[in-house]
Amino acid sequence: GESVGLHLPTLSVQEGDNSIINCAYSNSASDYFIWYKQESGKGPQFIIDIRSNMDKRQGQRVTVLLNKTVKHLSLQIAATQPGDSAVYFCAEKDSSASKIIFGSGTRLSIRP
Amino acid sequence: DTEVTQTPKHLVMGMTNKKSLKCEQHMGHRAMYWYKQKAKKPPELMFVYSYEKLSINESVPSRFSPECPNSSLLNLHLHALQPEDSALYLCASSLIAGGPNEQYFGPGTRLTVT
């Protein structure tokens, strides 16, 4: 069945370095993709999204890249800070449907 | 107001109890969702309401009963739960259910069934 998966379950980066979190998806009908950040004890927080007619979108310190050819999504966080420590979920959606499908999550930890 | 609120934050209930979880949003969103999240796992969809009507039930046991009294409120009534139902219950909303619309999540209710 369709699934959204992540290449790495955990990622440890040095404070100040850039972080790259990867995600693979398999539903070719998906045309909308979202990254969520979930801190301990909190609900998922929207970070950035991208539609399938784009291959790159930038926000504040974050960039999402979409490669539809290989069904790959990535989240880049510039100058990673301690406050970026969280679990990051990618999610995909077919806009004709109501459901979003979450990936399994990547835990990002920051080394001082 | 871009917030989804949930009450209570924590709930401990016995297997014979009846309790309700509440969710509220004032963003004018017409789609609301209940998710269940176990530790170290992604959220799992339970129910979708679209324009106050139940549109998706992901084969959830009948001991979970959702209710959408109006476009701003979503309840989840709990009865005769099992210990394995202990989890974080998340409410979310989006502008509409279809389309490229992000879902905004509440902080969740941490439920423990004893």
Side-chain angles (χ1 to χ4, degrees):
Chain A
E2 292 87 7
S3 66
V4 180
L6 296 175
H7 295 314
L8 295 171
T10 60
L11 178 65
S12 178
V13 300
Q14 193 79 32
E15 182 178 349
D17 287 353
N18 295 338
S19 302
I20 299 175
I21 302 172
N22 295 303
C23 179
Y25 67 95
S26 58
N27 184 4
S28 56
S30 293
D31 57 2
Y32 178 58
F33 304 88
I34 313 159
W35 281 100
Y36 285 96
K37 172 186 180 183
Q38 188 172 24
E39 297 176 89
S40 182
K42 297 184 178 181
Q45 176 189 0
F46 171 86
I47 302 173
I48 193 167
D49 59 2
I50 189 167
R51 300 188 189 189
S52 58
N53 61 352
M54 303 173 69
D55 53 21
K56 180 179 180 178
R57 189 160 189 232
Q58 289 185 287
Q60 187 177 7
R61 279 202 310 119
V62 294
T63 300
V64 55
L65 299 177
L66 175 63
N67 185 330
K68 295 180 289 295
T69 303
V70 295
K71 295 190 180 69
H72 184 267
L73 191 68
S74 69
L75 177 71
Q76 300 178 7
I77 305 173
T80 310
Q81 303 169 358
D84 296 325
S85 293
V87 176
Y88 289 81
F89 292 103
C90 64
E92 59 156 328
K93 188 175 191 287
D94 173 353
S95 292
S96 66
S98 302
K99 304 194 310 187
I100 64 174
I101 300 171
F102 281 89
S104 55
T106 293
R107 177 172 298 282
L108 177 64
S109 63
I110 314 303
R111 301 191 304 272
Chain B
D1 184 359
T2 57
E3 192 178 23
V4 176
T5 59
Q6 291 186 245
T7 55
K9 293 188 91 168
H10 301 275
L11 178 62
V12 179
M13 61 185 290
M15 289 189 284
T16 58
N17 290 162
K18 283 186 181 181
K19 296 287 184 183
S20 296
L21 309 185
K22 297 187 183 300
C23 174
E24 191 167 1
Q25 57 87 16
H26 295 287
M27 294 179 276
H29 289 176
R30 303 312 298 271
M32 296 186 78
Y33 311 79
W34 281 115
Y35 287 85
K36 172 182 178 181
Q37 186 178 27
K38 300 285 264 185
K40 300 182 182 179
K41 296 288 187 182
E44 296 175 35
L45 183 66
M46 300 174 73
F47 302 104
V48 179
Y49 271 83
S50 179
Y51 292 90
E52 295 97 69
K53 292 190 188 316
L54 183 64
S55 63
I56 294 178
N57 175 341
E58 291 285 276
S59 302
V60 179
S62 60
R63 57 186 184 268
F64 295 91
S65 175
E67 178 196 19
C68 189
N70 61 55
S71 60
S72 300
L73 296 173
L74 186 67
N75 299 321
L76 186 63
H77 303 297
L78 314 173
H79 174 56
L81 294 194
Q82 303 297 310
E84 59 264 29
D85 295 321
S86 298
L88 181 68
Y89 287 84
L90 294 161
C91 174
S93 71
S94 64
L95 189 61
I96 57 173
N101 295 296
E102 69 266 29
Q103 293 180 14
Y104 293 83
F105 284 82
T109 293
R110 174 72 60 190
L111 174 68
T112 303
V113 182
T114 60

